Amino acid sequence: MFCLLLLMCFGDKLHEDQIKQVETSHRRMLLSLARYNMPNIFNIFPRLGKILFRKKWKEFMEMREEQERVLRPLIESRIIYKKQQNRKDNEEEEDEEESERVVAYVDTLLDLQLPEGDDQKRKLMEGELVTLCSEFLNAGTDTTSTALQWILANIVKYPEIQSKLYEEIAGVMGPAPPPPPWSREEMGIRLRVVKEEDVQKMPYLKAVVLEGLRRHPPSHFVPHSVSEDVELEEYVVPKNATINFMVADFGWNPKVWVFKRFWGCQHHHP
C-alpha cells in the first residue's frame, strides 16, 4: 500500500532503498508523535513548550530534518521532470507515450498558487511541499490499511459473504490457480492482472467495500470551514465556523439506512 501511495505522490516507481528510507522516516515520525503527544504540546503552548520540552522539540526538529532530507530529492526530481515535459509540450514534440503520462500529487502542488496580500499569488515553498507530501502519505496509509483490515475481518467473520465474493471474482477472473511453486512459463499463464474493466464486472465486490466503509469509516468525522453565514434548520452557522460532518453517525443512522446490509444484522442482504 505504501509503495502505491509513493507512486501516486511522486509519479515514479522508486528503488527499494528509497522506499525503505521514506517508510522508516515516516514511521519514526508517527510513532514519536503518538508517544509524546507532540502536536498538542507545541500547538497549545508554542513558545513555552519549546522551553519546557527542549529535548522533545530537538528530537522533533531532527525528525523533520530527516524527513526533508528524504523527500526533497524526490520532489526536486519531479520538478525537473515536469520542466522537461513542459519544454517538450511547448516544442510540440509530444508523442503517444507522453500524452498518456500520469499526473502525480506533487504535480498538482507545483501548479498551485496561494493568495498573498495585494492580489498577489505565490508558489508553494519546498518546506510546504514536504509537509503536504508527508500528510498525503500518512493519511493515505493509515486510512486505507484500517479500512482493508475491517473489511477482511468481516469477510472472515461471515463466511457466506466470503463464498459469494469468491464466486463472483472467480466468475470474472477464472478459478484460482493451484498453489506454487510454478515454473516461469506457468507463472505467466496462471497469473492474470486484474484490470479496471474486470472490477466493473464485480458489483458484489463493490458493495462489500462500500458496506465496509459505511460500517467502519477510517475517519469518524470530517471538518470543514463555512465560507459565509448559512441558516440550517433554524440554526445560524456563522462565517469561518468549523463544522464537523459525523461520517460514522451518518452511516449508522437507522433512519437513513432502512436495511442494514451484510454485517451487524441477522439477515444479510445481497
Side-chain angles (χ1 to χ4, degrees):
M1 180 56 62
F2 194 72
C3 296
L4 177 60
L5 289 170
L6 285 174
L7 177 62
M8 294 170 60
C9 186
F10 300 106
D12 292 318
K13 292 183 179 179
L14 305 181
H15 297 294
E16 187 174 352
D17 57 341
Q18 292 176 305
I19 295 175
K20 288 182 178 179
Q21 287 179 354
V22 178
E23 188 176 9
T24 301
S25 173
H26 278 68
R27 182 184 293 113
R28 183 188 173 196
M29 176 71 78
L30 288 174
L31 292 177
S32 297
L33 292 177
R35 184 170 66 250
Y36 297 138
N37 203 14
M38 284 185 179
N40 289 337
I41 293 174
F42 299 120
N43 285 336
I44 298 175
F45 308 106
R47 295 184 179 179
L48 186 60
K50 296 176 184 178
I51 298 175
L52 296 178
F53 305 99
R54 291 189 299 272
K55 291 184 178 180
K56 291 181 180 180
W57 178 252
K58 181 180 179 182
E59 180 183 355
F60 177 76
M61 294 306 297
E62 289 175 351
M63 290 187 294
R64 172 63 183 185
E65 291 175 0
E66 179 186 1
Q67 192 177 66
E68 290 189 356
R69 179 182 59 81
V70 172
L71 294 182
R72 276 179 186 270
L74 303 179
I75 296 173
E76 291 171 356
S77 176
R78 191 65 186 181
I79 292 175
I80 295 173
Y81 171 82
K82 188 173 176 61
K83 288 181 178 179
Q84 292 174 346
Q85 295 301 323
N86 290 338
R87 191 179 302 114
K88 289 182 180 179
D89 291 345
N90 293 334
E91 295 173 355
E92 298 182 352
E93 294 180 356
E94 185 174 316
D95 56 22
E96 181 179 356
E97 182 179 356
E98 292 169 348
S99 63
E100 297 178 355
R101 62 176 179 267
V102 177
V103 177
Y105 176 65
V106 175
D107 296 339
T108 63
L109 298 180
L110 295 175
D111 295 334
L112 187 63
Q113 291 188 345
L114 301 180
E116 194 174 40
D118 298 331
D119 297 330
Q120 295 182 354
K121 294 184 178 181
R122 68 172 179 86
K123 295 282 189 179
L124 290 171
M125 300 170 60
E126 282 193 353
E128 293 171 326
L129 291 172
V130 170
T131 299
L132 291 172
C133 289
S134 175
E135 290 179 353
F136 176 86
L137 296 174
N138 291 340
T141 302
D142 291 342
T143 54
T144 306
S145 61
T146 300
L148 288 175
Q149 288 172 7
W150 274 113
I151 291 171
L152 292 175
N154 280 287
I155 288 176
V156 173
K157 184 177 180 180
Y158 300 105
E160 65 274 22
I161 293 177
Q162 182 179 158
S163 299
K164 186 172 181 178
L165 189 60
Y166 174 81
E167 291 175 0
E168 181 182 75
I169 296 174
V172 176
M173 302 302 299
W182 305 317
S183 65
R184 182 167 298 182
E185 291 76 13
E186 289 178 323
M187 185 175 297
I189 298 174
R190 296 184 185 278
L191 296 182
R192 179 184 166 190
V193 177
V194 180
K195 298 182 179 179
E196 181 66 26
E197 52 266 29
D198 297 322
V199 177
Q200 298 299 325
K201 301 175 184 177
M202 305 178 190
Y204 194 74
L205 172 62
K206 180 179 180 180
V208 168
V209 172
L210 292 178
E211 178 67 1
L213 294 174
R214 181 185 75 85
R215 292 289 295 120
H216 308 284
S219 179
H220 280 222
F221 65 91
V222 180
H224 285 279
S225 179
V226 181
S227 59
E228 59 183 25
D229 293 345
V230 178
E231 184 175 346
L232 180 63
E233 294 186 357
E234 300 182 357
Y235 290 94
V236 177
V237 183
K239 181 180 178 180
N240 296 328
T242 300
I243 302 297
N244 291 317
F245 289 85
M246 311 306 292
V247 180
D249 292 338
F250 292 165
W252 301 340
N253 188 351
K255 296 180 180 179
V256 176
W257 300 97
V258 179
F259 298 103
K260 295 182 179 179
R261 299 174 298 167
F262 300 114
W263 306 322
C265 56
Q266 294 179 352
H267 302 286
H268 307 309
H269 298 275

